[in-house]
PDB file of all heavy atoms in Angstrom:
ATOM      1  N   SER A  32     -75.835   8.637  60.272  1.00 85.00           N
ATOM      2  CA  SER A  32     -74.631   9.385  59.966  1.00 85.00           C
ATOM      3  C   SER A  32     -74.318   9.106  58.499  1.00 85.00           C
ATOM      4  O   SER A  32     -74.509   7.990  58.022  1.00 85.00           O
ATOM      5  CB  SER A  32     -73.463   8.934  60.849  1.00 85.00           C
ATOM      6  OG  SER A  32     -73.711   9.243  62.205  1.00 85.00           O
ATOM      7  N   PHE A  34     -71.630   9.821  55.039  1.00 92.00           N
ATOM      8  CA  PHE A  34     -70.244  10.089  54.683  1.00 92.00           C
ATOM      9  C   PHE A  34     -70.089  10.079  53.166  1.00 92.00           C
ATOM     10  O   PHE A  34     -70.836   9.426  52.453  1.00 92.00           O
ATOM     11  CB  PHE A  34     -69.313   9.013  55.267  1.00 92.00           C
ATOM     12  CG  PHE A  34     -69.522   8.736  56.721  1.00 92.00           C
ATOM     13  CD1 PHE A  34     -70.545   7.889  57.137  1.00 92.00           C
ATOM     14  CD2 PHE A  34     -68.702   9.309  57.664  1.00 92.00           C
ATOM     15  CE1 PHE A  34     -70.756   7.631  58.486  1.00 92.00           C
ATOM     16  CE2 PHE A  34     -68.899   9.057  59.013  1.00 92.00           C
ATOM     17  CZ  PHE A  34     -69.929   8.219  59.423  1.00 92.00           C
ATOM     18  N   TYR A  36     -66.774   9.178  50.703  1.00 95.00           N
ATOM     19  CA  TYR A  36     -65.385   8.741  50.578  1.00 95.00           C
ATOM     20  C   TYR A  36     -64.970   8.891  49.123  1.00 95.00           C
ATOM     21  O   TYR A  36     -65.776   8.752  48.204  1.00 95.00           O
ATOM     22  CB  TYR A  36     -65.231   7.270  50.981  1.00 95.00           C
ATOM     23  CG  TYR A  36     -65.139   7.018  52.468  1.00 95.00           C
ATOM     24  CD1 TYR A  36     -66.288   6.958  53.258  1.00 95.00           C
ATOM     25  CD2 TYR A  36     -63.917   6.827  53.087  1.00 95.00           C
ATOM     26  CE1 TYR A  36     -66.205   6.720  54.618  1.00 95.00           C
ATOM     27  CE2 TYR A  36     -63.823   6.582  54.447  1.00 95.00           C
ATOM     28  CZ  TYR A  36     -64.974   6.531  55.211  1.00 95.00           C
ATOM     29  OH  TYR A  36     -64.882   6.286  56.559  1.00 95.00           O
ATOM     30  N   GLN A  38     -62.010   7.552  46.200  1.00 94.00           N
ATOM     31  CA  GLN A  38     -61.005   6.535  45.878  1.00 94.00           C
ATOM     32  C   GLN A  38     -60.323   6.907  44.577  1.00 94.00           C
ATOM     33  O   GLN A  38     -60.941   6.869  43.507  1.00 94.00           O
ATOM     34  CB  GLN A  38     -61.640   5.154  45.760  1.00 94.00           C
ATOM     35  CG  GLN A  38     -60.626   4.054  45.499  1.00 94.00           C
ATOM     36  CD  GLN A  38     -61.265   2.688  45.341  1.00 94.00           C
ATOM     37  OE1 GLN A  38     -62.414   2.563  44.919  1.00 94.00           O
ATOM     38  NE2 GLN A  38     -60.534   1.643  45.697  1.00 94.00           N
ATOM     39  N   ASN A  41     -56.271   2.816  42.015  1.00 85.00           N
ATOM     40  CA  ASN A  41     -55.342   1.901  42.680  1.00 85.00           C
ATOM     41  C   ASN A  41     -54.974   2.341  44.096  1.00 85.00           C
ATOM     42  O   ASN A  41     -53.882   2.027  44.584  1.00 85.00           O
ATOM     43  CB  ASN A  41     -54.066   1.732  41.840  1.00 85.00           C
ATOM     44  CG  ASN A  41     -54.371   1.170  40.476  1.00 85.00           C
ATOM     45  OD1 ASN A  41     -55.119   0.196  40.347  1.00 85.00           O
ATOM     46  ND2 ASN A  41     -53.839   1.795  39.435  1.00 85.00           N
ATOM     47  N   LYS A  42     -55.875   3.046  44.726  1.00 89.00           N
ATOM     48  CA  LYS A  42     -55.659   3.486  46.098  1.00 89.00           C
ATOM     49  C   LYS A  42     -56.808   3.025  46.986  1.00 89.00           C
ATOM     50  O   LYS A  42     -57.852   2.583  46.506  1.00 89.00           O
ATOM     51  CB  LYS A  42     -55.566   5.023  46.164  1.00 89.00           C
ATOM     52  CG  LYS A  42     -54.380   5.602  45.411  1.00 89.00           C
ATOM     53  CD  LYS A  42     -53.083   5.228  46.085  1.00 89.00           C
ATOM     54  CE  LYS A  42     -51.902   5.934  45.421  1.00 89.00           C
ATOM     55  NZ  LYS A  42     -50.606   5.523  46.049  1.00 89.00           N
ATOM     56  N   GLY A  43     -56.599   3.151  48.305  1.00 90.00           N
ATOM     57  CA  GLY A  43     -57.686   2.893  49.238  1.00 90.00           C
ATOM     58  C   GLY A  43     -58.637   4.081  49.290  1.00 90.00           C
ATOM     59  O   GLY A  43     -58.457   5.083  48.611  1.00 90.00           O
ATOM     60  N   LEU A  44     -59.679   3.952  50.096  1.00 92.00           N
ATOM     61  CA  LEU A  44     -60.668   5.012  50.226  1.00 92.00           C
ATOM     62  C   LEU A  44     -60.234   6.015  51.283  1.00 92.00           C
ATOM     63  O   LEU A  44     -59.640   5.655  52.303  1.00 92.00           O
ATOM     64  CB  LEU A  44     -62.031   4.423  50.619  1.00 92.00           C
ATOM     65  CG  LEU A  44     -62.859   3.815  49.499  1.00 92.00           C
ATOM     66  CD1 LEU A  44     -62.269   2.479  49.039  1.00 92.00           C
ATOM     67  CD2 LEU A  44     -64.305   3.628  49.952  1.00 92.00           C
ATOM     68  N   LEU A  46     -61.653   9.482  53.559  1.00 92.00           N
ATOM     69  CA  LEU A  46     -62.833  10.233  53.978  1.00 92.00           C
ATOM     70  C   LEU A  46     -62.775  11.664  53.447  1.00 92.00           C
ATOM     71  O   LEU A  46     -61.798  12.383  53.647  1.00 92.00           O
ATOM     72  CB  LEU A  46     -62.918  10.258  55.501  1.00 92.00           C
ATOM     73  CG  LEU A  46     -64.125  10.981  56.086  1.00 92.00           C
ATOM     74  CD1 LEU A  46     -65.419  10.244  55.726  1.00 92.00           C
ATOM     75  CD2 LEU A  46     -63.993  11.103  57.602  1.00 92.00           C
ATOM     76  N   LYS A  49     -68.183  14.202  56.530  1.00 89.00           N
ATOM     77  CA  LYS A  49     -69.162  13.393  57.259  1.00 89.00           C
ATOM     78  C   LYS A  49     -70.237  14.287  57.881  1.00 89.00           C
ATOM     79  O   LYS A  49     -69.976  15.431  58.265  1.00 89.00           O
ATOM     80  CB  LYS A  49     -68.486  12.564  58.343  1.00 89.00           C
ATOM     81  CG  LYS A  49     -67.805  13.389  59.431  1.00 89.00           C
ATOM     82  CD  LYS A  49     -67.130  12.482  60.456  1.00 89.00           C
ATOM     83  CE  LYS A  49     -66.411  13.307  61.522  1.00 89.00           C
ATOM     84  NZ  LYS A  49     -65.692  12.426  62.495  1.00 89.00           N
ATOM     85  N   PHE A  90     -67.853   7.475  46.876  1.00 95.00           N
ATOM     86  CA  PHE A  90     -68.812   6.582  47.515  1.00 95.00           C
ATOM     87  C   PHE A  90     -69.578   7.315  48.604  1.00 95.00           C
ATOM     88  O   PHE A  90     -68.972   7.954  49.483  1.00 95.00           O
ATOM     89  CB  PHE A  90     -68.090   5.381  48.144  1.00 95.00           C
ATOM     90  CG  PHE A  90     -67.469   4.461  47.138  1.00 95.00           C
ATOM     91  CD1 PHE A  90     -66.153   4.620  46.745  1.00 95.00           C
ATOM     92  CD2 PHE A  90     -68.216   3.422  46.577  1.00 95.00           C
ATOM     93  CE1 PHE A  90     -65.578   3.765  45.815  1.00 95.00           C
ATOM     94  CE2 PHE A  90     -67.651   2.569  45.645  1.00 95.00           C
ATOM     95  CZ  PHE A  90     -66.330   2.744  45.265  1.00 95.00           C
ATOM     96  N   SER A  94     -74.397   5.181  57.914  1.00 82.00           N
ATOM     97  CA  SER A  94     -74.176   4.418  59.139  1.00 82.00           C
ATOM     98  C   SER A  94     -75.329   4.692  60.078  1.00 82.00           C
ATOM     99  O   SER A  94     -75.813   5.820  60.166  1.00 82.00           O
ATOM    100  CB  SER A  94     -72.873   4.840  59.805  1.00 82.00           C
ATOM    101  OG  SER A  94     -72.779   4.309  61.111  1.00 82.00           O
ATOM    102  N   TYR A  99     -74.138  -2.152  67.769  1.00 49.00           N
ATOM    103  CA  TYR A  99     -72.951  -1.968  66.942  1.00 49.00           C
ATOM    104  C   TYR A  99     -73.319  -1.202  65.679  1.00 49.00           C
ATOM    105  O   TYR A  99     -74.477  -1.108  65.293  1.00 49.00           O
ATOM    106  CB  TYR A  99     -72.330  -3.321  66.602  1.00 49.00           C
ATOM    107  CG  TYR A  99     -73.111  -4.131  65.590  1.00 49.00           C
ATOM    108  CD1 TYR A  99     -72.888  -3.992  64.223  1.00 49.00           C
ATOM    109  CD2 TYR A  99     -74.067  -5.047  65.993  1.00 49.00           C
ATOM    110  CE1 TYR A  99     -73.597  -4.735  63.300  1.00 49.00           C
ATOM    111  CE2 TYR A  99     -74.772  -5.789  65.075  1.00 49.00           C
ATOM    112  CZ  TYR A  99     -74.529  -5.636  63.741  1.00 49.00           C
ATOM    113  OH  TYR A  99     -75.234  -6.368  62.828  1.00 49.00           O
ATOM    114  N   SER A 100     -72.303  -0.701  65.046  1.00 57.00           N
ATOM    115  CA  SER A 100     -72.540   0.117  63.860  1.00 57.00           C
ATOM    116  C   SER A 100     -71.747  -0.444  62.698  1.00 57.00           C
ATOM    117  O   SER A 100     -70.590  -0.762  62.842  1.00 57.00           O
ATOM    118  CB  SER A 100     -72.118   1.547  64.134  1.00 57.00           C
ATOM    119  OG  SER A 100     -72.167   2.320  62.958  1.00 57.00           O
ATOM    120  N   LEU A 102     -71.240   0.136  58.280  1.00 84.00           N
ATOM    121  CA  LEU A 102     -71.428   1.080  57.200  1.00 84.00           C
ATOM    122  C   LEU A 102     -72.006   0.380  55.991  1.00 84.00           C
ATOM    123  O   LEU A 102     -71.623  -0.739  55.680  1.00 84.00           O
ATOM    124  CB  LEU A 102     -70.104   1.736  56.829  1.00 84.00           C
ATOM    125  CG  LEU A 102     -69.334   2.432  57.942  1.00 84.00           C
ATOM    126  CD1 LEU A 102     -68.047   3.028  57.395  1.00 84.00           C
ATOM    127  CD2 LEU A 102     -70.184   3.506  58.589  1.00 84.00           C
ATOM    128  N   PHE A 104     -72.279   0.930  51.965  1.00 90.00           N
ATOM    129  CA  PHE A 104     -71.689   1.716  50.882  1.00 90.00           C
ATOM    130  C   PHE A 104     -72.618   1.760  49.682  1.00 90.00           C
ATOM    131  O   PHE A 104     -73.242   0.752  49.330  1.00 90.00           O
ATOM    132  CB  PHE A 104     -70.351   1.106  50.456  1.00 90.00           C
ATOM    133  CG  PHE A 104     -69.228   1.351  51.410  1.00 90.00           C
ATOM    134  CD1 PHE A 104     -69.133   0.638  52.594  1.00 90.00           C
ATOM    135  CD2 PHE A 104     -68.261   2.302  51.132  1.00 90.00           C
ATOM    136  CE1 PHE A 104     -68.103   0.862  53.488  1.00 90.00           C
ATOM    137  CE2 PHE A 104     -67.221   2.533  52.024  1.00 90.00           C
ATOM    138  CZ  PHE A 104     -67.145   1.812  53.197  1.00 90.00           C
ATOM    139  N   GLY A 105     -72.673   2.914  49.038  1.00 93.00           N
ATOM    140  CA  GLY A 105     -73.281   2.980  47.722  1.00 93.00           C
ATOM    141  C   GLY A 105     -72.382   2.320  46.694  1.00 93.00           C
ATOM    142  O   GLY A 105     -71.250   1.925  46.999  1.00 93.00           O
ATOM    143  N   LYS A 106     -72.879   2.192  45.460  1.00 94.00           N
ATOM    144  CA  LYS A 106     -72.131   1.480  44.433  1.00 94.00           C
ATOM    145  C   LYS A 106     -71.094   2.350  43.746  1.00 94.00           C
ATOM    146  O   LYS A 106     -70.349   1.870  42.902  1.00 94.00           O
ATOM    147  CB  LYS A 106     -73.098   0.880  43.415  1.00 94.00           C
ATOM    148  CG  LYS A 106     -73.982  -0.197  44.037  1.00 94.00           C
ATOM    149  CD  LYS A 106     -74.858  -0.886  43.023  1.00 94.00           C
ATOM    150  CE  LYS A 106     -75.672  -1.988  43.714  1.00 94.00           C
ATOM    151  NZ  LYS A 106     -76.528  -2.727  42.766  1.00 94.00           N
TER     152      LYS A 106
ATOM    153  N   TYR B  35     -63.269  -5.736  53.537  1.00 95.00           N
ATOM    154  CA  TYR B  35     -64.268  -5.528  52.510  1.00 95.00           C
ATOM    155  C   TYR B  35     -63.761  -6.124  51.204  1.00 95.00           C
ATOM    156  O   TYR B  35     -62.559  -6.213  50.977  1.00 95.00           O
ATOM    157  CB  TYR B  35     -64.503  -4.032  52.275  1.00 95.00           C
ATOM    158  CG  TYR B  35     -65.238  -3.309  53.376  1.00 95.00           C
ATOM    159  CD1 TYR B  35     -64.542  -2.767  54.459  1.00 95.00           C
ATOM    160  CD2 TYR B  35     -66.614  -3.138  53.329  1.00 95.00           C
ATOM    161  CE1 TYR B  35     -65.211  -2.082  55.462  1.00 95.00           C
ATOM    162  CE2 TYR B  35     -67.295  -2.458  54.329  1.00 95.00           C
ATOM    163  CZ  TYR B  35     -66.576  -1.935  55.385  1.00 95.00           C
ATOM    164  OH  TYR B  35     -67.240  -1.260  56.382  1.00 95.00           O
ATOM    165  N   GLN B  37     -64.334  -5.379  47.001  1.00 94.00           N
ATOM    166  CA  GLN B  37     -64.860  -4.401  46.058  1.00 94.00           C
ATOM    167  C   GLN B  37     -64.925  -5.033  44.690  1.00 94.00           C
ATOM    168  O   GLN B  37     -63.918  -5.477  44.140  1.00 94.00           O
ATOM    169  CB  GLN B  37     -63.971  -3.151  46.005  1.00 94.00           C
ATOM    170  CG  GLN B  37     -64.510  -2.072  45.077  1.00 94.00           C
ATOM    171  CD  GLN B  37     -63.628  -0.846  45.026  1.00 94.00           C
ATOM    172  OE1 GLN B  37     -62.410  -0.920  45.191  1.00 94.00           O
ATOM    173  NE2 GLN B  37     -64.233   0.319  44.832  1.00 94.00           N
ATOM    174  N   GLY B  40     -69.190  -2.051  40.103  1.00 83.00           N
ATOM    175  CA  GLY B  40     -70.617  -1.768  40.174  1.00 83.00           C
ATOM    176  C   GLY B  40     -71.304  -2.240  41.436  1.00 83.00           C
ATOM    177  O   GLY B  40     -72.535  -2.149  41.541  1.00 83.00           O
ATOM    178  N   GLY B  42     -69.938  -1.530  44.764  1.00 86.00           N
ATOM    179  CA  GLY B  42     -69.489  -0.830  45.956  1.00 86.00           C
ATOM    180  C   GLY B  42     -68.608  -1.732  46.811  1.00 86.00           C
ATOM    181  O   GLY B  42     -67.965  -2.653  46.308  1.00 86.00           O
ATOM    182  N   LEU B  43     -68.590  -1.482  48.097  1.00 91.00           N
ATOM    183  CA  LEU B  43     -67.818  -2.313  49.024  1.00 91.00           C
ATOM    184  C   LEU B  43     -68.770  -3.136  49.871  1.00 91.00           C
ATOM    185  O   LEU B  43     -69.773  -2.616  50.375  1.00 91.00           O
ATOM    186  CB  LEU B  43     -66.954  -1.439  49.937  1.00 91.00           C
ATOM    187  CG  LEU B  43     -65.571  -1.068  49.406  1.00 91.00           C
ATOM    188  CD1 LEU B  43     -65.697  -0.034  48.307  1.00 91.00           C
ATOM    189  CD2 LEU B  43     -64.688  -0.557  50.523  1.00 91.00           C
ATOM    190  N   TYR B  48     -65.600  -8.594  60.434  1.00 93.00           N
ATOM    191  CA  TYR B  48     -65.087  -7.478  61.203  1.00 93.00           C
ATOM    192  C   TYR B  48     -64.751  -7.926  62.616  1.00 93.00           C
ATOM    193  O   TYR B  48     -65.137  -9.024  63.054  1.00 93.00           O
ATOM    194  CB  TYR B  48     -66.076  -6.306  61.230  1.00 93.00           C
ATOM    195  CG  TYR B  48     -67.373  -6.582  61.958  1.00 93.00           C
ATOM    196  CD1 TYR B  48     -67.536  -6.202  63.286  1.00 93.00           C
ATOM    197  CD2 TYR B  48     -68.445  -7.193  61.314  1.00 93.00           C
ATOM    198  CE1 TYR B  48     -68.721  -6.445  63.955  1.00 93.00           C
ATOM    199  CE2 TYR B  48     -69.628  -7.444  61.972  1.00 93.00           C
ATOM    200  CZ  TYR B  48     -69.772  -7.066  63.287  1.00 93.00           C
ATOM    201  OH  TYR B  48     -70.946  -7.315  63.955  1.00 93.00           O
ATOM    202  N   PHE B  90     -60.068  -4.913  50.647  1.00 96.00           N
ATOM    203  CA  PHE B  90     -59.602  -3.791  51.455  1.00 96.00           C
ATOM    204  C   PHE B  90     -59.750  -4.102  52.933  1.00 96.00           C
ATOM    205  O   PHE B  90     -60.796  -4.574  53.378  1.00 96.00           O
ATOM    206  CB  PHE B  90     -60.397  -2.520  51.145  1.00 96.00           C
ATOM    207  CG  PHE B  90     -60.064  -1.909  49.828  1.00 96.00           C
ATOM    208  CD1 PHE B  90     -60.840  -2.162  48.712  1.00 96.00           C
ATOM    209  CD2 PHE B  90     -58.958  -1.085  49.696  1.00 96.00           C
ATOM    210  CE1 PHE B  90     -60.526  -1.607  47.488  1.00 96.00           C
ATOM    211  CE2 PHE B  90     -58.639  -0.521  48.470  1.00 96.00           C
ATOM    212  CZ  PHE B  90     -59.422  -0.784  47.373  1.00 96.00           C
ATOM    213  N   PRO B  98     -67.223   2.110  63.458  1.00 79.00           N
ATOM    214  CA  PRO B  98     -67.192   2.999  62.295  1.00 79.00           C
ATOM    215  C   PRO B  98     -68.441   3.839  62.194  1.00 79.00           C
ATOM    216  O   PRO B  98     -69.552   3.362  62.406  1.00 79.00           O
ATOM    217  CB  PRO B  98     -67.067   2.030  61.120  1.00 79.00           C
ATOM    218  CG  PRO B  98     -67.569   0.735  61.627  1.00 79.00           C
ATOM    219  CD  PRO B  98     -67.231   0.703  63.079  1.00 79.00           C
ATOM    220  N   GLY B  99     -68.229   5.103  61.859  1.00 71.00           N
ATOM    221  CA  GLY B  99     -69.339   6.022  61.674  1.00 71.00           C
ATOM    222  C   GLY B  99     -69.808   6.698  62.933  1.00 71.00           C
ATOM    223  O   GLY B  99     -70.652   7.594  62.871  1.00 71.00           O
ATOM    224  N   GLN B 100     -69.265   6.336  64.072  1.00 70.00           N
ATOM    225  CA  GLN B 100     -69.764   6.909  65.318  1.00 70.00           C
ATOM    226  C   GLN B 100     -68.861   8.016  65.821  1.00 70.00           C
ATOM    227  O   GLN B 100     -67.670   7.793  66.054  1.00 70.00           O
ATOM    228  CB  GLN B 100     -69.883   5.811  66.387  1.00 70.00           C
ATOM    229  CG  GLN B 100     -70.990   4.832  66.108  1.00 70.00           C
ATOM    230  CD  GLN B 100     -71.283   3.922  67.280  1.00 70.00           C
ATOM    231  OE1 GLN B 100     -70.524   3.882  68.244  1.00 70.00           O
ATOM    232  NE2 GLN B 100     -72.380   3.195  67.215  1.00 70.00           N
ATOM    233  N   GLY B 101     -69.428   9.201  65.975  1.00 67.00           N
ATOM    234  CA  GLY B 101     -68.708  10.317  66.565  1.00 67.00           C
ATOM    235  C   GLY B 101     -67.462  10.688  65.787  1.00 67.00           C
ATOM    236  O   GLY B 101     -67.344  10.457  64.584  1.00 67.00           O
ATOM    237  N   ASN B 102     -66.526  11.258  66.518  1.00 66.00           N
ATOM    238  CA  ASN B 102     -65.310  11.752  65.880  1.00 66.00           C
ATOM    239  C   ASN B 102     -64.207  10.702  65.813  1.00 66.00           C
ATOM    240  O   ASN B 102     -63.150  10.954  65.248  1.00 66.00           O
ATOM    241  CB  ASN B 102     -64.793  12.983  66.631  1.00 66.00           C
ATOM    242  CG  ASN B 102     -65.733  14.166  66.471  1.00 66.00           C
ATOM    243  OD1 ASN B 102     -66.286  14.364  65.411  1.00 66.00           O
ATOM    244  ND2 ASN B 102     -65.912  14.922  67.541  1.00 66.00           N
ATOM    245  N   GLU B 105     -63.892   7.306  62.211  1.00 83.00           N
ATOM    246  CA  GLU B 105     -63.444   7.382  60.820  1.00 83.00           C
ATOM    247  C   GLU B 105     -62.702   6.117  60.450  1.00 83.00           C
ATOM    248  O   GLU B 105     -61.791   5.683  61.156  1.00 83.00           O
ATOM    249  CB  GLU B 105     -62.524   8.589  60.613  1.00 83.00           C
ATOM    250  CG  GLU B 105     -61.985   8.672  59.180  1.00 83.00           C
ATOM    251  CD  GLU B 105     -61.052   9.832  58.961  1.00 83.00           C
ATOM    252  OE1 GLU B 105     -60.999  10.732  59.826  1.00 83.00           O
ATOM    253  OE2 GLU B 105     -60.357   9.847  57.921  1.00 83.00           O
ATOM    254  N   LEU B 106     -63.109   5.529  59.330  1.00 88.00           N
ATOM    255  CA  LEU B 106     -62.446   4.336  58.817  1.00 88.00           C
ATOM    256  C   LEU B 106     -61.223   4.724  58.008  1.00 88.00           C
ATOM    257  O   LEU B 106     -61.306   5.588  57.135  1.00 88.00           O
ATOM    258  CB  LEU B 106     -63.387   3.541  57.926  1.00 88.00           C
ATOM    259  CG  LEU B 106     -64.190   2.393  58.502  1.00 88.00           C
ATOM    260  CD1 LEU B 106     -64.976   1.709  57.407  1.00 88.00           C
ATOM    261  CD2 LEU B 106     -63.310   1.385  59.223  1.00 88.00           C
ATOM    262  N   PHE B 108     -58.398   3.144  55.442  1.00 93.00           N
ATOM    263  CA  PHE B 108     -58.291   2.013  54.530  1.00 93.00           C
ATOM    264  C   PHE B 108     -56.846   1.750  54.133  1.00 93.00           C
ATOM    265  O   PHE B 108     -56.044   2.677  53.980  1.00 93.00           O
ATOM    266  CB  PHE B 108     -59.089   2.277  53.257  1.00 93.00           C
ATOM    267  CG  PHE B 108     -60.571   2.130  53.434  1.00 93.00           C
ATOM    268  CD1 PHE B 108     -61.335   3.158  53.960  1.00 93.00           C
ATOM    269  CD2 PHE B 108     -61.212   0.950  53.063  1.00 93.00           C
ATOM    270  CE1 PHE B 108     -62.705   3.027  54.125  1.00 93.00           C
ATOM    271  CE2 PHE B 108     -62.586   0.808  53.227  1.00 93.00           C
ATOM    272  CZ  PHE B 108     -63.327   1.839  53.751  1.00 93.00           C
ATOM    273  N   GLY B 109     -56.539   0.476  53.931  1.00 94.00           N
ATOM    274  CA  GLY B 109     -55.320   0.105  53.253  1.00 94.00           C
ATOM    275  C   GLY B 109     -55.455   0.339  51.757  1.00 94.00           C
ATOM    276  O   GLY B 109     -56.526   0.735  51.270  1.00 94.00           O
ATOM    277  N   GLU B 110     -54.397   0.074  51.005  1.00 93.00           N
ATOM    278  CA  GLU B 110     -54.407   0.343  49.577  1.00 93.00           C
ATOM    279  C   GLU B 110     -54.953  -0.807  48.748  1.00 93.00           C
ATOM    280  O   GLU B 110     -55.041  -0.693  47.535  1.00 93.00           O
ATOM    281  CB  GLU B 110     -53.016   0.748  49.099  1.00 93.00           C
ATOM    282  CG  GLU B 110     -52.555   2.075  49.707  1.00 93.00           C
ATOM    283  CD  GLU B 110     -51.493   2.756  48.889  1.00 93.00           C
ATOM    284  OE1 GLU B 110     -50.807   2.065  48.085  1.00 93.00           O
ATOM    285  OE2 GLU B 110     -51.308   3.977  49.046  1.00 93.00           O
ATOM    286  N   ARG B 113     -55.233  -7.051  45.299  1.00 96.00           N
ATOM    287  CA  ARG B 113     -55.975  -7.498  44.113  1.00 96.00           C
ATOM    288  C   ARG B 113     -55.734  -8.989  43.932  1.00 96.00           C
ATOM    289  O   ARG B 113     -54.607  -9.416  43.705  1.00 96.00           O
ATOM    290  CB  ARG B 113     -55.512  -6.719  42.889  1.00 96.00           C
ATOM    291  CG  ARG B 113     -56.337  -7.001  41.636  1.00 96.00           C
ATOM    292  CD  ARG B 113     -55.862  -6.122  40.478  1.00 96.00           C
ATOM    293  NE  ARG B 113     -56.074  -4.711  40.762  1.00 96.00           N
ATOM    294  CZ  ARG B 113     -57.192  -4.056  40.509  1.00 96.00           C
ATOM    295  NH1 ARG B 113     -58.223  -4.689  39.965  1.00 96.00           N
ATOM    296  NH2 ARG B 113     -57.294  -2.771  40.792  1.00 96.00           N
TER     297      ARG B 113
END
Side-chain angles (χ1 to χ4, degrees):
Chain A
S32 295
F34 310 82
Y36 279 82
Q38 183 182 28
N41 300 313
K42 296 292 186 182
L44 280 73
L46 181 66
K49 63 181 178 183
F90 293 92
S94 168
Y99 73 89
S100 172
L102 305 180
F104 285 76
K106 295 185 178 181
Chain B
Y35 288 87
Q37 182 180 30
L43 272 73
Y48 66 96
F90 287 97
Q100 290 191 349
N102 292 322
E105 178 181 347
L106 265 184
F108 284 82
E110 295 203 339
R113 187 177 296 273

